[in-house]
Amino acid sequence: MIKIIKSNEIRESNITLKTTAKSITSTVAEIIADVIKRGDKAVHEYTKRFDKCDIREFELSEKEIENAIKNVDPEFIKVMERAARNIEDYHRNQIRTGFETKFEDKGIVLGQKIIPIEKVCCYIPGGTAPYPSSVLMNCIPAKIAGVNQMFITTPPSPTGVDARILAAAKIAGVDKVFTIGGAQAIAAFAFGTETIPQVSKITGPGNAYVAEAKRQVFGVVGIDMLAGPSDILIIADKNANPIYVAADMLSQCEHGTDSP
């Protein structure tokens, strides 16, 4: 059955979206300003408010990570390791160090030198679903490029950080794991706090508040992109495997559960 959407419904939907976007923008701006002003104290309060977690130590210890990984299915570890090798093989072919061009008759040397970023943080969503693949796809290329310190931050939960994310972080060679989510995490890594290091670039997907926070801190730090809900066009005929078609659809449905 196909539902016909009337023009007045579209207008009402657009008004709602604009109102929501304006509200998100102002809320994120307030959070960023508060984190800049109060540092760890503000991050702690927002974590308690939004994630329902009373966390004082934002960085996970090596022991905490190792203990969590023990609970991960060994078969899953093998899959992640195989994926990591594939990602590494692909990105190693992209390595560039720069070039040099000499103009002997004019005594001029022109060129380009590519220097790795010192510190990068990747935001890993943890609300709707865990994304260990995002850890691999963000952190492995950074390590290959020569990034000196690679961090990830992921929202906490009363049951702790998903062990599969931590396993992926270990495989990808992540240096530190932090349990902070939302706009407060983006603000903390963009400007630094008493215990959270300031980075030069922030990457990774997130909800509308995370995306807006990345937009607002861009310029203070670099970002990868402003990602929104996914779009997909599936072209199939009667010969298509319905399981594959359904999988293609479902893989996008999880990206923006509140999106039309």
Side-chain angles (χ1 to χ4, degrees):
M1 178 180 176
I2 299 175
K3 179 185 177 183
I4 305 300
I5 302 176
K6 298 176 182 178
S7 59
N8 66 315
E9 290 179 320
I10 294 173
R11 283 196 298 271
E12 289 171 6
S13 177
N14 286 338
I15 291 170
T16 302
L17 287 172
K18 288 178 181 177
T19 304
T20 303
K22 189 174 181 180
S23 173
I24 290 173
T25 299
S26 60
T27 299
V28 168
E30 290 173 9
I31 292 172
I32 292 173
D34 197 19
V35 171
I36 293 172
K37 183 179 180 180
R38 298 194 298 133
D40 281 350
K41 188 174 181 180
V43 175
H44 170 259
E45 289 178 8
Y46 288 122
T47 301
K48 193 174 181 179
R49 176 180 167 189
F50 298 130
D51 298 308
K52 313 302 179 188
C53 294
D54 189 0
I55 296 175
R56 299 287 177 176
E57 298 290 333
F58 301 122
E59 182 184 347
L60 288 181
S61 68
E62 191 67 32
K63 186 176 181 180
E64 288 175 308
I65 295 171
E66 291 292 347
N67 287 338
I69 292 175
K70 289 177 183 177
N71 298 317
V72 179
D73 184 350
E75 189 60 34
F76 178 82
I77 298 288
K78 289 180 182 179
V79 170
M80 286 288 100
E81 288 174 341
R82 186 164 68 247
R85 288 193 297 271
N86 291 339
I87 293 168
E88 183 173 351
D89 289 344
Y90 177 83
H91 287 287
R92 283 210 176 277
N93 289 321
Q94 293 180 312
I95 293 177
R96 293 180 292 125
T97 57
F99 64 86
E100 187 177 277
T101 302
K102 294 182 179 180
F103 297 88
E104 300 288 354
D105 57 329
K106 298 179 181 178
I108 297 174
V109 177
L110 301 176
Q112 179 188 74
K113 185 177 182 181
I114 298 173
I115 302 173
I117 296 170
E118 180 68 17
K119 295 178 183 177
V120 174
C121 179
C122 176
Y123 186 94
I124 306 298
T128 307
Y131 291 90
S133 58
S134 291
V135 179
L136 300 183
M137 291 187 288
N138 277 269
C139 299
I140 291 175
K143 280 292 184 178
I144 291 172
V147 170
N148 191 38
Q149 290 184 283
M150 186 75 221
F151 312 135
I152 69 167
T153 189
T154 188
S157 74
T159 57
V161 175
D162 192 290
R164 291 167 293 183
I165 289 177
L166 299 179
K170 187 76 174 178
I171 292 168
V174 170
D175 297 290
K176 293 183 179 182
V177 177
F178 294 83
T179 54
I180 320 167
Q184 62 271 23
I186 303 301
F189 281 97
F191 295 95
T193 70
E194 299 90 326
T195 62
I196 300 165
Q198 183 181 27
V199 299
S200 298
K201 189 167 188 174
I202 298 173
T203 70
N207 62 20
Y209 291 90
V210 170
E212 175 60 22
K214 286 170 68 178
R215 187 188 71 82
Q216 291 191 25
V217 302
F218 176 58
V220 176
V221 294
I223 63 171
D224 47 355
M225 62 183 292
L226 294 174
S230 298
D231 294 321
I232 186 169
L233 170 65
I234 298 174
I235 300 174
D237 61 15
K238 63 182 180 180
N239 298 310
N241 186 327
I243 294 176
Y244 295 163
V245 174
D248 280 340
M249 292 175 67
L250 290 172
S251 70
Q252 306 309 314
C253 287
E254 67 181 2
H255 296 158
T257 55
D258 59 347
S259 305

